[in-house]
Amino acid sequence: MTRIALITGASSGIGKATAQAFAKSGIDLILCGRRQDRLQELSNELAPLVKTTSLAFDVRDRKAVEDAIASLPKEWQAIDILVNNAGNAHGFDPIDKGNPDDWDAMIGSNVTGLLYVSKAVIPGMVERSKGHIVNLSSIAGKETYANGTVYCASKAAVEAFSQGMRLDLIQHGIKVTNIAPGAVETEFSMVRFKGDEARADKVYAGFDPLTAEDIADSILYAVNAPAHVTIADVTILAAAQAAATTVYRK
Ligand code: 8X3
């Protein structure tokens, strides 16, 4: 039977690559993001492979999340797979110098936004006694590094959500997968460094970083695992990365 996946942050990076990988695997897609034009473009690209629809909203806006997901027509409501991918890092500062607007942006998307979307989707999964939630954490959720305290804390929260959701939802036949990537070259560092391209490029200099497609591969593996198998927790690093801040550069 065809499955339906809802992916947040689908307009770029890991979310977009996951949508492309799912489409090749025949999974119908609800593409969510803030930028309708980008969602439409991706929707057009994938439409020859699978059914697609898109919802434009900001995960930080609770009402917008609730309204968008409630607006899904009946044929899109039975969501099998939720990929909680939306999120980002804003700023790179020691805690005494951090900007509270950056903190709000990170906690709002990575923490509360993930909860709002989950809250809108999980009850249907419980009703149907099946579902699979994939939460995008980070190596930053497992190791805290200097200047990244709030980002790392937001991803540590995702680690806890993955464990807690698995505990609460196992009785309903719902699988939970936690994916923790290391350095992936996407728009991530451009957002973190607020458009400073030279600084963003430096993060990925002198080694082969992960690509969004590498992470999408693992997500696809997790959702295609046999019914009796849960891929619970995957940490994915570039071959040249040993820990959050240890990268072997040539
Ligand atoms: C992104 C990975 O190492 O830049 O989540 O924090 S890292």
Side-chain angles (χ1 to χ4, degrees):
M1 234 191 71
T2 317
R3 290 177 290 174
I4 296 175
L6 184 148
I7 303 174
T8 64
S11 53
S12 64
I14 294 169
K16 182 176 179 182
T18 302
Q20 289 165 326
F22 279 15
K24 283 191 203 133
S25 197
I27 301 170
D28 291 339
L29 296 166
I30 303 168
L31 304 167
C32 305
R34 279 172 301 169
R35 297 163 285 197
Q36 180 59 45
D37 52 332
R38 286 213 199 181
L39 294 174
Q40 194 52 53
E41 209 176 288
L42 183 61
S43 194
N44 295 344
E45 175 194 322
L46 303 179
L49 299 175
V50 287
K51 285 198 214 117
T52 65
T53 188
S54 62
L55 295 174
F57 61 88
D58 186 335
V59 297
R60 293 174 293 183
D61 182 339
R62 182 158 138 198
K63 174 111 179 30
V65 170
E66 289 167 357
D67 289 352
I69 294 174
S71 78
L72 283 169
K74 195 154 184 13
E75 68 268 25
W76 283 105
Q77 283 173 11
I79 296 163
D80 298 285
I81 302 164
L82 164 62
V83 182
N84 276 318
N85 164 73
N88 231 315
H90 297 270
F92 192 74
D93 304 289
I95 195 72
D96 55 306
K97 301 215 169 68
N99 180 338
D101 289 339
D102 288 338
W103 300 348
D104 284 346
M106 288 187 278
I107 302 292
S109 58
N110 306 359
V111 180
T112 30
L114 185 151
L115 289 174
Y116 295 155
V117 175
S118 300
K119 173 72 182 161
V121 173
I122 291 172
M125 289 181 166
V126 168
E127 221 168 88
R128 294 183 295 278
S129 297
K130 77 178 165 102
H132 193 154
I133 299 164
V134 180
N135 291 328
L136 268 294
S137 176
S138 166
I139 186 69
K142 300 182 189 281
E143 294 176 44
T144 304
Y145 50 82
N147 300 308
T149 301
V150 177
Y151 177 68
C152 293
S154 75
K155 290 299 184 178
V158 176
E159 297 279 314
F161 293 153
S162 294
Q163 291 176 31
M165 285 178 181
R166 199 175 302 113
L167 291 166
D168 289 344
L169 300 175
I170 193 158
Q171 62 187 313
H172 300 294
I174 297 170
K175 295 186 189 183
V176 180
T177 297
N178 188 72
I179 302 272
V184 185
E185 189 164 15
T186 58
E187 290 167 17
F188 177 84
S189 289
M190 280 292 276
V191 175
R192 167 172 267 176
F193 299 124
K194 303 180 189 293
D196 183 337
E197 210 171 328
R199 220 170 151 200
D201 284 350
K202 250 176 126 177
V203 175
Y204 309 109
F207 76 109
D208 282 335
L210 295 165
T211 65
E213 288 72 26
D214 295 325
I215 309 308
D217 265 357
S218 296
I219 297 171
L220 186 64
Y221 175 76
V223 304
N224 282 345
H228 68 288
V229 175
T230 290
I231 306 299
D233 194 9
V234 187
T235 300
I236 311 164
L237 301 176
Q241 183 173 21
T245 57
T246 307
V247 176
Y248 179 70
R249 297 175 202 267
K250 294 227 171 61

